Amino acid sequence: MPEFPAVSGAVGLEEDDAGRLGAAVSNAFAPGGPLARAMPGFEARPGQLEMAEAVSEAFANGGILLAEAGTGTGKTLAYLVPAVLSRQRVLVSTGTKNLQEQIFFKDLPVLRESLGIPFTATYMKGRGNYLCLHRFDAYRDGAAATGFRQVDGAFGPTANEALFVRIIDEWRRETLTGDRAEIEDLPEDLPLWKEVAATTDNCIGAECPQHQECFITRMRQRAAESDIVIVNHHLLCADAAVRQSEYGEVIPACRYAVLDEAHQIEDVATQYFGLAASNYRIDDLARDVDRAVGAAQVPDRECALGLKHAAERVRDASRAFFAALQAIRFDVPGAGSADNRIRVGGSQMVRVAEEGAALVAAIEALEAGVALARDVPEDVLAAGRRAAEIRTDLAFLLRADDPGFVYYLEVRGRGVFLRASPIDVSAIVRELLLDRMKTTVLTSATLAVDGSFEYIRSRLGIRRAEELRLASEFDYATRAILYLPKRMPDPRSREFASAVARQVVEIVKRTRGRAFVLFTSYANLREVQALASAEIEYPILVHGTAPRSALLRDFKATPNAVLLATSSFWQGVDVVGEALSCVIIDKLPFASPGDPITSARIDAIAMRGGSPFGEYQIPLAILSLQQGLGRLLRHRQDRGVLAVLDPRLRTMGYGRRFRASMPPAPVTCELDDIRSFFAADPADGSEPDRDSDRTGSR
């Protein structure tokens, strides 16, 4: 095995090293090579080797590589092997936590053992996953009154909170990472965690008395010393967005990056490169001021009372502003009380100008109070900096006049959010992510539309790139069939849901359950569930009734289950084997034109004379459909039925573009062909008896 200098983070590969890298990668994947010896049954696939060679060339030559690797290619090893052998620090960003964990806990240990090269790796999550020692100590000691319950005349945690405080306190003394995922008994929605998490808002940086012991500090240090740094797109974009902040950045500088599941980058960038003000954000600020003042025992009592009074003014002004803002929903044309995201503009902001000005003034008064305070601790000063940031964001949002942003109101439960999102993120992604790298590899099973990368290039600001398209390694011609019903009502008609329900019932009878039924909206899901559930004899799991991870676990463990789900199950979900033998999609997944961001992007394309439907809406829907259908075959031995119930595949001219993008499986419009398909497979057998259906045995 050729050796490379262990120079982590070096500027680039010399010509000789680049040649040796290519040879080392070829050797790693060769028959009888290191991977074959370490992984029983390993056999390099042609597409995998082709991609690995392309990644090696990208690392050597620099620039951008766009690599669409169809399911079964083995793309993860195809980029990890060159990354490890390059002896550079490589940033790997994924779209899902599952892939992060697979890379860190499964793939990298195999490569460490097989390649014979010592390398280090760090697995990084968002800051909110980690415990803040400073905040936890304050919470545990009961020093802050706001947010605590009064017990026997004194402030302190409730009995339930106290139990979790003890659990966290014991764990913090042993953990090396501070990652909450290590505590199996900690509920996902535990309110207490928000009070003690290491968020950017509450971080006081190097002034923190526990800065050296801080889990974020340690994670930064590990990452800065690592060869492979594994993050997700949310952390990647959040980190880039706060890179100018003194305390926000956690990802070390890297010159080489691999962005897996890269089709998600635009959506994530849109989320993190925007601005938002919410009643939650402002209430948290006021509460933390109260808490910091109380915990610090500010020596000047008049100053302490003044800060508490200023925080209360902020709270009062916030309630008035967000109540007025929420009332706007009922005056926006076409919007109803059920719409949780409503596009707004300057005319709507005029209606809340008075309340908005009062809130800005209250925040300014809090800032001034902190600035004038003497001998106050860093927690109080940090609250002043937060107030300034919120005031700046709020002023921008209230103006609602930047043509590069779409402004909208979002209501989620008790939360009211005023947001501004960039309409076009291509320049931002290029400047803050791509241009900072010597080499960037963007890969996914779904990147190309109509056989071209033009759509993804335009959305992400990619000017020049090497391109590689690799077909799926799976044999769809024999392992799958595609069912398109002969006749279905128009998806906009009232009859569509009942027709979908009938189709779902008939399909899952023939597949004996074992199905994902994927919907484009919760409304469609609920209506079909109400109509079909009584006629489906198999166990039904419904999205929204439990956390996604729990539903997926239950689906795998429950014989012949049927899962009804929406958007988050369309991608990033793997069920290998016969437990998932059918994927049914109700409608073509067009983004709602009423969504503020979609609406703004449609308007922007139309204003420059383009075709929003052809250039944006159809390509986006094609990529989403490919992701949904991609849930079916996750292993060479998998087989099953793909069903799309939308008649527009046949009746509309653009249906040809969708059909051309679908897996190359035989097409049928006959329900009985589904039964025949399963009966024809010796491993699946003909119709089993009812008892075997119930037990899941064969």
Side-chain angles (χ1 to χ4, degrees):
M1 173 73 67
E3 295 183 357
F4 295 91
V7 187
S8 186
V11 172
L13 295 172
E14 299 294 337
E15 185 174 348
D16 288 346
D17 286 342
R20 284 185 286 167
L21 173 60
V25 168
S26 297
N27 179 63
F29 285 97
L35 294 179
R37 292 194 298 270
M39 303 168 66
F42 175 83
E43 181 180 346
R45 304 155 203 176
Q48 186 179 50
L49 182 56
E50 186 177 353
M51 180 173 170
E53 291 171 344
V55 173
S56 299
E57 291 179 9
F59 281 177
N61 301 327
I64 294 173
L65 170 65
L66 290 167
E68 181 179 79
T71 49
T73 302
K75 62 181 169 60
T76 310
L77 287 182
Y79 61 71
L80 285 179
V81 170
V84 169
L85 293 175
S86 73
R87 304 305 291 151
Q88 304 296 311
R89 178 183 296 128
V90 179
L91 177 70
V92 177
S93 183
T94 73
T96 61
K97 176 183 173 182
N98 287 344
L99 184 52
Q100 267 188 293
E101 292 177 345
Q102 174 195 311
I103 290 171
F104 186 76
F105 294 108
K106 180 182 175 184
D107 296 329
L108 289 182
V110 170
L111 296 184
R112 187 175 287 112
E113 178 182 347
S114 62
L115 297 180
I117 292 180
F119 66 88
T120 55
T122 296
Y123 171 26
M124 306 179 77
K125 298 181 183 179
R127 298 175 63 109
N129 290 281
Y130 299 93
L131 180 71
C132 173
L133 294 171
H134 178 59
R135 299 189 74 208
F136 176 74
D137 284 348
Y139 192 96
R140 180 198 58 197
D141 296 341
T146 303
F148 279 44
R149 316 296 188 270
Q150 195 161 1
V151 181
D152 297 330
F155 285 105
T158 64
N160 190 48
E161 289 169 337
L163 171 63
F164 286 115
V165 166
R166 287 195 296 273
I167 291 173
I168 294 172
D169 201 15
E170 292 174 4
W171 162 73
R172 64 162 290 188
R173 301 175 194 280
E174 301 174 355
T175 179
L176 298 177
T177 68
D179 182 354
R180 63 166 291 170
E182 295 177 358
I183 313 177
E184 294 183 359
D185 296 331
L186 205 65
E188 292 185 21
D189 57 352
L190 180 68
L192 163 63
W193 186 258
K194 183 180 178 182
E195 309 294 334
V196 299
T199 61
T200 303
D201 278 347
N202 291 288
C203 181
I204 57 178
E207 301 301 321
C208 179
Q210 302 199 58
H211 179 68
Q212 292 304 315
E213 295 79 22
C214 171
F215 294 117
I216 299 296
T217 300
R218 292 180 179 180
M219 181 175 69
R220 278 192 185 124
Q221 293 169 344
R222 287 195 302 271
E225 298 167 356
S226 293
D227 301 298
I228 308 294
V229 180
I230 306 160
V231 303
N232 57 54
H233 299 338
H234 291 269
L235 177 57
L236 177 70
C237 291
D239 198 71
V242 300
R243 195 161 277 144
Q244 305 306 316
S245 168
E246 186 177 357
Y247 307 132
E249 184 179 354
V250 295
I251 301 175
C254 297
R255 299 292 310 282
Y256 299 83
V258 177
L259 309 184
D260 201 345
E261 300 171 312
H263 62 280
Q264 299 181 20
I265 291 289
E266 182 183 18
D267 282 347
V268 179
T270 301
Q271 176 182 345
Y272 283 95
F273 294 120
L275 299 174
S278 70
N279 58 331
Y280 288 155
R281 186 183 181 194
I282 296 174
D283 288 350
D284 285 349
L285 170 66
R287 181 202 61 210
D288 288 344
V289 169
D290 284 339
R291 183 170 296 176
V293 170
Q297 298 297 313
V298 175
D300 186 337
R301 180 171 174 76
E302 185 176 345
C303 173
L305 290 174
L307 290 175
K308 283 181 171 289
H309 177 66
E312 190 59 36
R313 279 188 59 199
V314 168
R315 248 190 297 268
D316 290 342
S318 175
R319 292 190 193 101
F321 172 70
F322 285 102
L325 192 64
Q326 195 167 5
I328 289 177
R329 284 198 301 166
F330 303 100
D331 297 320
V332 174
S337 60
D339 296 317
N340 69 337
R341 282 161 57 117
I342 305 298
R343 189 174 178 180
V344 297
S347 59
Q348 284 81 32
M349 289 299 99
V350 168
R351 293 197 50 210
V352 295
E354 183 177 343
E355 293 87 352
L359 178 55
V360 169
I363 295 173
E364 283 180 327
L366 175 60
E367 277 184 80
V370 172
L372 293 171
R374 295 291 179 266
D375 300 322
V376 293
E378 188 62 30
D379 288 310
V380 176
L381 298 177
R385 291 192 292 268
R386 281 170 63 192
E389 183 180 335
I390 292 173
R391 174 182 52 79
T392 301
D393 290 352
L394 188 58
F396 177 85
L397 291 162
L398 288 170
R399 288 195 301 271
D401 60 356
D402 190 319
F405 286 79
V406 55
Y407 298 82
Y408 56 102
L409 170 66
E410 182 173 3
V411 178
R412 293 204 313 261
R414 296 180 181 178
V416 184
F417 303 78
L418 181 59
R419 299 187 185 276
S421 294
I423 296 172
D424 183 349
V425 298
S426 59
I428 300 172
V429 170
R430 183 172 62 245
E431 177 185 351
L432 294 183
L433 295 177
L434 303 180
D435 285 353
R436 292 175 181 266
M437 302 294 172
K438 179 181 186 295
T439 297
T440 306
V441 175
L442 297 98
T443 185
S444 172
T446 56
L447 282 182
V449 176
D450 300 326
S452 167
F453 288 101
E454 181 56 34
Y455 173 77
I456 198 72
R457 289 172 63 134
S458 68
R459 304 310 302 175
L460 298 183
I462 299 171
R463 292 168 176 158
R464 298 179 58 186
E466 296 297 318
E467 299 177 353
L468 176 67
R469 289 191 66 206
L470 301 168
S472 171
E473 294 279 336
F474 297 150
D475 183 7
Y476 279 93
T478 61
R479 307 301 297 179
I481 60 169
L482 174 61
Y483 171 71
L484 306 177
K486 284 181 181 177
R487 296 181 185 85
M488 287 289 289
D490 188 294
R492 296 164 294 185
S493 70
R494 291 184 177 181
E495 295 78 25
F496 184 70
S498 59
V500 169
R502 289 193 296 272
Q503 287 287 334
V504 168
V505 169
E506 293 302 321
I507 293 170
V508 300
K509 281 181 180 177
R510 290 160 173 80
T511 65
R512 308 193 316 279
R514 307 182 298 167
F516 274 8
V517 188
L518 302 179
F519 296 88
T520 53
S521 72
Y522 274 110
N524 294 352
L525 184 157
R526 286 191 290 267
E527 194 168 355
V528 171
Q529 178 191 1
L531 294 168
S533 57
E535 297 185 51
I536 295 176
E537 61 181 288
Y538 304 109
I540 297 177
L541 304 172
V542 181
H543 191 183
T545 59
R548 182 176 114 154
S549 57
L551 285 173
L552 193 58
R553 181 192 64 231
D554 291 346
F555 180 86
K556 293 176 180 178
T558 306
N560 308 96
V562 176
L563 173 67
L564 310 182
T566 59
S567 56
S568 65
F569 279 86
W570 284 62
Q571 55 186 307
V573 175
D574 281 346
V575 180
V576 176
E578 65 178 28
L580 180 58
S581 298
C582 177
V583 171
I584 305 170
I585 290 176
D586 69 332
K587 294 197 297 188
L588 297 179
F590 286 111
S592 170
D595 175 78
I597 296 173
T598 302
S599 171
R601 287 175 174 164
I602 289 172
D603 291 348
I605 294 171
M607 285 182 64
R608 63 170 171 75
S611 167
F613 193 60
E615 293 177 29
Y616 176 61
Q617 291 168 276
I618 287 179
L620 185 61
I622 285 174
L623 292 177
S624 296
L625 180 65
Q626 290 174 329
Q627 282 291 322
L629 295 174
R631 296 314 95 209
L632 182 65
L633 302 190
R634 310 302 300 174
H635 186 275
R636 287 178 182 271
Q637 300 306 312
D638 288 353
R639 69 192 310 268
V641 175
L642 300 166
V644 184
L645 307 182
D646 194 322
R648 292 174 293 185
L649 281 171
R650 295 181 181 276
T651 62
M652 304 301 290
Y654 60 76
R656 290 192 297 271
R657 294 179 67 181
F658 283 92
R659 294 198 304 272
S661 73
M662 296 167 81
V667 179
T668 182
C669 58
E670 301 293 338
L671 282 165
D672 284 344
D673 286 343
I674 297 174
R675 191 189 305 273
S676 301
F677 172 80
F678 287 109
D681 181 24
D684 194 74
S686 56
E687 282 296 306
D689 60 38
R690 293 288 180 183
D691 289 339
S692 65
D693 269 1
R694 294 193 185 98
T695 62
S697 61
R698 306 219 88 75

